[in-house]
Amino acid sequence: MSLIKTNIDRRGVLKGTAAAGLAAPMFMNGKAWADAHAYLNAPTGKSVTLGFNVPQTGPYADEGADELRAYKLAVKHLNGEGDGGMMNTMTVKGGKTGLTGNGVLGKKVEYVTGDTQTKSDAARSSAKKMIEADKAVMITGGSSSGVAIAVQSLCQEAGVIFMAGLTHSNDTTGKDKRANGFRHFFNAYMSGAALAPVLEKAYGKDRKAYHLTADYTWGWTQEASIAASTEAVGWETMKKVKTPVGAGDFSQYITPVLESGADVLVLNHYGNDMVNSLTQAVKFGLRDKQVNGKDFTIVVPLYSRLMAAGAGENVKGIFGSTNWHWSLTDEGSKAFVKSFGQEYGFPPSQAAHTCYVQTLLYANAAETAGTFNPCGIVEALEGLEFDGMGNGPTLYRADDHQCFKDVLVVKGNENPTSKFDILEVVEVTPAEQVTYAPDHPMFTGGELGECNAGA
Amino acid sequence: MKILTNPSAGVDTTMMLVFVVAVLTMPFWLTLIGAGYPDLMQKFVIFGLFATGFNILFGLTGYLSFGHAAFLGIGSYTAVWSFKLLGMNPIPAAIFAVAVSGVFALVIGFISLRRSGIYFSILTLAFAQMCYALAYSVLTPITNGETGLRVIGDDPRILDGIITSGVNPSTPTVNLFGLDLTQTWVWNGYYFNAGFYFCAIILIIGSYIAMRIFRSPFGLMLKAVKTNQNRLNYTGVNTKPYTLAAFVISGMYAGLAGALLCITDPLAGAERMQWTASGEVVLMVILGGMGTLMGPMLGAGIIKFAEQKFSTWGKTELHEFFAFIPDGIRDTVVSVASLFVGSGWHLTLGLVFMLIVIYLPGGIVEGGRRILMWASGSNRRNRKLQAAAQAAE
């Protein structure tokens, strides 16, 4: 999908991508011809519009609500309202950013929102509306990898930038990666690489795992990643069972677990699904059982505070991994937690964090490039090294548009001191340990392609 | 006024011409009401086609199917598979979608039509939910489940280059013999989208066929089924072939609409087969006027327009909208009104639907007729005429 096509050259930024015969037909459009670097939805007035596409209904609605809060906060900070949050702590390539609180490139930041409903169809339709009717130059958000991948490919075809929100599937920057799409959040492979050593230390080498997996791209890749990394430390994978997203009742899937002879249950679920499946597993008494002479345990590879809060008491002592946690004490995290808390009265979730950071990174890239042209943004973000955003030094890798940074291994807090103090950070796994080669077999099969400016 | 209730060939031609002009000039007049962007215009024509097809079954025979979204989904999946295997040309995709959804409609219709009334509705609903469950989790290798079926770079697409040209291999878009259907021409702020015109032409053809069916002896037989099926059976007419044919035809329309959804955006998700989607098309037809030619299209347009507008409104927009009300009262008004917009827009839809069913059972088309009659000052005379006509039935 591409609006307003002309035959103006695209700025091929990626090395090695053959300029596939994109014979853009010639169509007359006075404006586009006059501007040599035309791009879709170029802002003409005093403001620039961003599109926040988050789940406001469905199983991931809690995450979506928190993402939206973070986006609104980021817009405030970019426009110079509030205390500036992470804009004060953010550094790129060791130096200061171009963000001054005067909007982006002197234009006031405005936004439109949409509801993805956690459905690919609805998410694409909502993104299309924002691009076509509201003239958004960038789409961001999503709390499901299925949605993120669908919207990312739409943005590639349309010619706008997609800054992925919470999406943890390997495929988002693996076989479904796109030149116009960027992901700050970590992925399933990283979760596996960070979790496996901690699990080995806590539970030993001789364990039998049973996987319950959300039946879509995220679940599939997380199951594969966790199985691979735990098998590498000696565990055995007994069975992998797929469950439909939003199932609500997981009892039919949990009953067979005990009869299988497994002694670890891996829940590859997220959002309300995880809350339900974990609560039901605990209610069924799984954690009180002894199997193979060991205590039965549960692992939730992708954790979030919102989910842990939903599951209540049941999360105590359960291991998982997370992209970021509000209890971190670096300057960036402290600044963000402070301004988020002042605005809304409670600490932000990891979903809020990644969305806030993505917005600032986009804004900074536009300042660096001096334009909102997607190809300029791609150039500015590829290979970008930044710090002060809560995750330590971070690299936006040019090969797949994935951020590489430290990963947190967390555990359900046994003795919480407040209702937000539900997870405790067990280990900060350094970025080197979770870094993989761009041609790792779990990530191959797709190509970034060429950046598309849509004009 | 006689011509409106009892149309002749001349009127049909005029109506068709007006309709064709109205559809083709959509980019102009829809821009005036803020709906002139490609995505929404495509939705108008695609769901217009879906509702038109549904009306052939529901409007003519009175059989209320609660499962037509299944055919929409089947059409979508077939179209994407046609893209993946054959190539990005929309014509084979549309043909296969119509054929496959027709086969499914034949099977589902054959079984469901053993019953009528509420039992028929429940059977179709059950079949549609089965199709949805199959697509959502059981048949994941074919449908890609929750993630949705998409066209990807390394699909075979064996005929690409023959039936299409200039398709970018890594991010393929739908291509009609070299014309990229995602293409949009912009002229003075009006959007002319190739995909929209492709769908519009199919809608025009579909409406013409629907009109011919309405006016044919076959259509008359379907109306007879609606009026009194028992009487037909007593006179020795076997109605089943007629109702089954109507079911299959409307299933094919739904399949075609599903294919068009994928032609404008090549992604098929299981959600579009859910029962809510089946219910939506029923609302469209009733809102517009069941059994009328243009009503379903109007209903589809109004529902899609309202969905797009109301579901994206929030408090900010409401404050602007009610800016004329003094500050003190405005907050109260806005907080009440905000229940009816955003994710609560279904409340608005429900209210409008109730009003229509209670006060205008014939839908918007009936409303239009009443206004016309009132305007022509022949209100009383026509009521008498209508009463006489009803008595004669």
Side-chain angles (χ1 to χ4, degrees):
Chain A
M1 199 197 72
S2 172
L3 298 155
I4 319 169
K5 286 221 169 171
T6 67
N7 68 344
I8 291 161
D9 288 349
R10 285 151 202 278
R11 289 166 62 194
V13 189
L14 277 167
K15 297 149 251 154
T17 37
L22 263 175
M26 279 180 271
F27 296 115
M28 291 307 207
N29 174 328
K31 243 190 209 159
W33 281 95
D35 182 353
H37 292 293
Y39 56 96
L40 182 67
N41 291 346
T44 46
K46 286 191 170 138
S47 64
V48 55
T49 306
L50 310 180
F52 301 149
N53 205 15
V54 302
Q56 298 176 27
T57 50
Y60 299 154
D62 286 351
E63 262 77 15
D66 221 37
E67 292 185 356
L68 205 52
R69 287 183 202 113
Y71 284 132
K72 289 180 179 167
L73 187 67
V75 168
K76 268 192 155 182
H77 290 169
L78 287 173
N79 287 335
E81 299 161 40
D83 60 7
M86 274 190 197
M87 268 168 47
N88 306 321
T89 60
M90 177 181 179
T91 57
V92 284
K93 295 185 176 122
K96 279 193 76 70
T97 67
L99 301 172
T100 53
N102 183 28
V104 181
L105 292 174
K107 290 184 192 290
K108 185 167 185 278
V109 181
E110 286 179 352
Y111 63 87
V112 287
T113 66
D115 182 7
T116 68
Q117 301 171 26
T118 322
K119 293 175 183 168
S120 311
D121 260 7
R124 271 172 86 110
S125 180
S126 149
K128 264 174 115 174
K129 189 225 154 212
M130 292 191 222
I131 297 168
E132 291 176 356
D134 303 319
K135 312 281 172 222
V137 287
M138 181 272 263
I139 302 292
T140 176
S143 192
S144 154
S145 292
V147 166
I149 289 170
V151 176
Q152 177 165 277
S153 66
L154 177 94
C155 290
Q156 175 74 42
E157 289 156 24
V160 297
I161 288 288
F162 177 66
M163 300 298 278
L166 193 151
T167 158
H168 187 246
S169 170
N170 290 343
D171 291 347
T172 313
T173 48
K175 77 177 172 52
D176 290 307
K177 57 180 172 275
R178 292 284 184 272
N180 284 29
F182 289 87
R183 168 162 70 178
H184 169 263
F185 206 67
F186 72 145
N187 60 36
Y189 174 89
M190 296 177 175
S191 281
L195 261 178
V198 177
L199 292 177
E200 186 193 359
K201 218 161 65 187
Y203 301 131
K205 286 176 185 296
D206 180 29
R207 281 282 187 169
K208 293 185 169 65
Y210 190 107
H211 287 255
L212 286 185
T213 303
D215 194 3
Y216 72 106
T217 170
W218 166 67
W220 303 334
T221 64
Q222 175 162 301
E223 179 191 271
S225 301
I226 301 293
S229 56
T230 51
E231 279 164 18
V233 300
W235 289 23
E236 188 186 333
T237 308
M238 300 288 289
K239 203 167 178 195
K240 301 167 173 174
V241 176
K242 308 268 189 292
T243 64
V245 181
D249 182 11
F250 290 91
S251 47
Q252 53 165 321
Y253 300 105
I254 291 168
T255 332
V257 175
L258 280 176
E259 282 133 42
S260 67
D263 48 35
V264 180
L265 173 63
V266 181
L267 289 177
N268 298 308
H269 288 153
Y270 195 72
N272 291 347
D273 280 359
M274 174 270 178
V275 172
N276 291 331
S277 64
L278 178 64
T279 309
Q280 284 163 16
V282 173
K283 280 222 179 91
F284 277 46
L286 255 57
R287 297 187 72 190
D288 310 324
K289 293 273 182 344
Q290 286 261 323
V291 183
N292 309 329
K294 303 178 196 76
D295 286 338
F296 192 97
T297 53
I298 301 177
V299 177
V300 180
L302 178 60
Y303 238 142
S304 103
R305 200 200 77 234
L306 296 174
M307 279 156 45
E313 291 278 296
N314 304 320
V315 298
K316 285 187 176 174
I318 289 183
F319 282 103
S321 65
T322 170
N323 188 52
W324 178 83
H325 194 251
W326 66 273
S327 65
L328 292 175
T329 52
D330 60 285
E331 289 307 313
S333 299
K334 279 198 315 210
F336 178 52
V337 172
K338 181 165 160 264
S339 55
F340 192 95
Q342 274 173 357
E343 188 81 17
Y344 303 111
F346 47 85
S349 65
Q350 61 169 353
H353 169 256
T354 198
C355 290
Y356 178 89
V357 171
Q358 283 281 70
T359 315
L360 292 198
L361 284 172
Y362 173 82
N364 180 61
E367 289 284 352
T368 314
T371 171
F372 294 101
N373 188 323
C375 290
I377 305 274
V378 169
E379 217 170 37
L381 279 175
E382 282 186 340
L384 180 76
E385 287 170 28
F386 59 92
D387 200 353
M389 309 288 270
N391 300 100
T394 308
L395 165 72
Y396 239 131
R397 188 157 76 179
D399 307 83
D400 49 9
H401 295 183
Q402 166 73 49
C403 270
F404 287 84
K405 54 193 165 24
D406 300 348
V407 171
L408 306 181
V409 176
V410 291
K411 192 168 88 165
N413 206 337
E414 304 277 4
N415 300 304
T417 52
S418 77
K419 65 173 175 166
F420 306 114
D421 184 27
I422 304 167
L423 299 177
E424 69 176 303
V425 178
V426 181
E427 193 178 282
V428 180
T429 309
E432 304 82 65
Q433 198 184 315
V434 298
T435 303
Y436 52 87
D439 59 353
H440 188 283
M442 279 186 194
F443 294 85
T444 49
E447 262 182 50
L448 277 177
E450 222 183 325
C451 78
N452 181 9
Chain B
M1 268 341 288
K2 191 165 169 269
I3 46 173
L4 263 179
T5 46
N6 213 354
S8 65
V11 176
D12 277 352
T13 316
T14 323
M15 191 168 76
M16 205 63 213
L17 281 176
V18 171
F19 174 68
V20 169
V21 173
V23 169
L24 294 180
T25 54
M26 265 180 161
F28 291 104
W29 56 270
L30 280 177
T31 306
L32 299 177
I33 53 171
Y37 57 94
D39 182 49
L40 191 53
M41 292 195 291
Q42 290 162 358
K43 290 245 161 63
F44 285 156
V45 291
I46 294 170
F47 282 91
L49 185 71
F50 186 24
T52 303
F54 187 75
N55 191 36
I56 293 175
L57 178 72
F58 179 46
L60 289 183
T61 69
Y63 274 84
L64 174 57
S65 160
F66 264 120
H68 261 51
F71 306 123
L72 190 79
I74 290 165
S76 293
Y77 283 119
T78 314
V80 176
W81 272 110
S82 161
F83 291 147
K84 286 167 89 77
L85 299 177
L86 293 179
M88 299 305 291
N89 191 310
I91 291 178
I95 292 171
F96 282 118
V98 170
V100 173
S101 55
V103 170
F104 272 85
L106 188 66
V107 175
I108 294 178
F110 186 79
I111 300 169
S112 304
L113 284 166
R114 298 175 70 86
R115 292 282 173 269
S116 59
I118 185 78
Y119 302 103
F120 168 79
S121 303
I122 294 295
L123 278 173
T124 51
L125 177 65
F127 273 112
Q129 282 301 88
M130 272 155 60
C131 291
Y132 168 69
L134 283 175
Y136 195 71
S137 53
V138 183
L139 293 178
T140 315
I142 300 175
T143 61
N144 211 18
E146 160 82 12
T147 317
L149 189 65
R150 284 174 307 126
V151 181
I152 49 175
D154 45 8
D155 283 330
R157 296 205 298 279
I158 47 174
L159 294 179
D160 252 0
I162 303 169
I163 51 174
T164 59
S165 69
V167 173
N168 179 353
S170 65
T171 52
T173 50
V174 181
N175 183 300
L176 179 70
F177 304 109
L179 171 68
D180 185 351
L181 285 190
T182 61
Q183 198 90 33
T184 302
W185 294 266
V186 183
W187 178 75
N188 280 351
Y190 299 112
Y191 291 88
F192 303 94
N193 175 273
F196 163 74
Y197 278 104
F198 184 83
C199 298
I201 288 165
I202 289 188
L203 173 70
I204 289 167
I205 299 171
S207 314
Y208 181 72
I209 296 174
M211 191 178 79
R212 296 309 297 257
I213 291 176
F214 267 65
R215 304 289 180 242
S216 68
F218 170 69
L220 209 60
M221 186 58 104
L222 295 179
K223 283 180 196 161
V225 169
K226 182 181 178 182
T227 314
N228 197 334
Q229 193 170 3
N230 282 337
R231 199 182 287 181
L232 277 179
N233 290 336
Y234 293 152
T235 50
V237 179
N238 180 9
T239 52
K240 178 123 186 216
Y242 293 98
T243 47
L244 184 58
F247 192 90
V248 173
I249 291 171
S250 69
M252 288 161 111
Y253 268 83
L256 183 58
L260 292 181
L261 280 178
C262 291
I263 284 165
T264 53
D265 185 10
L267 173 130
E271 305 87 41
R272 65 180 64 155
M273 303 175 92
Q274 232 174 343
W275 66 271
T276 44
S278 295
E280 197 181 48
V281 72
V282 179
L283 292 191
M284 287 170 179
V285 171
I286 293 178
L287 191 67
M290 70 179 275
T292 60
L293 267 174
M294 293 301 151
M297 251 165 290
L298 277 176
I302 287 169
I303 286 189
K304 283 292 152 194
F305 179 71
E307 180 185 5
Q308 204 74 251
K309 292 291 155 195
F310 289 123
S311 69
T312 52
W313 273 27
K315 288 208 166 157
T316 344
E317 287 84 358
L318 284 175
H319 271 287
E320 278 167 30
F321 186 78
F322 290 115
F324 59 91
I325 300 176
D327 271 348
I329 318 167
R330 199 196 308 151
D331 284 343
T332 329
V333 174
V334 165
S335 58
V336 172
S338 66
L339 293 174
F340 293 87
V341 296
S343 51
W345 90 272
H346 284 107
L347 271 177
T348 320
L349 181 65
L351 275 180
V352 172
F353 187 67
M354 270 165 54
L355 290 177
I356 293 275
V357 170
I358 295 171
Y359 296 106
L360 271 182
I364 292 164
V365 169
E366 189 192 328
R369 255 179 220 168
R370 283 197 195 170
I371 292 171
L372 266 181
M373 277 193 239
W374 178 78
S376 64
S378 55
N379 201 358
R380 196 175 299 168
R381 189 163 53 89
N382 266 287
R383 271 208 195 137
K384 271 186 193 156
L385 273 178
Q386 268 190 341
Q390 265 168 10
E393 268 180 16

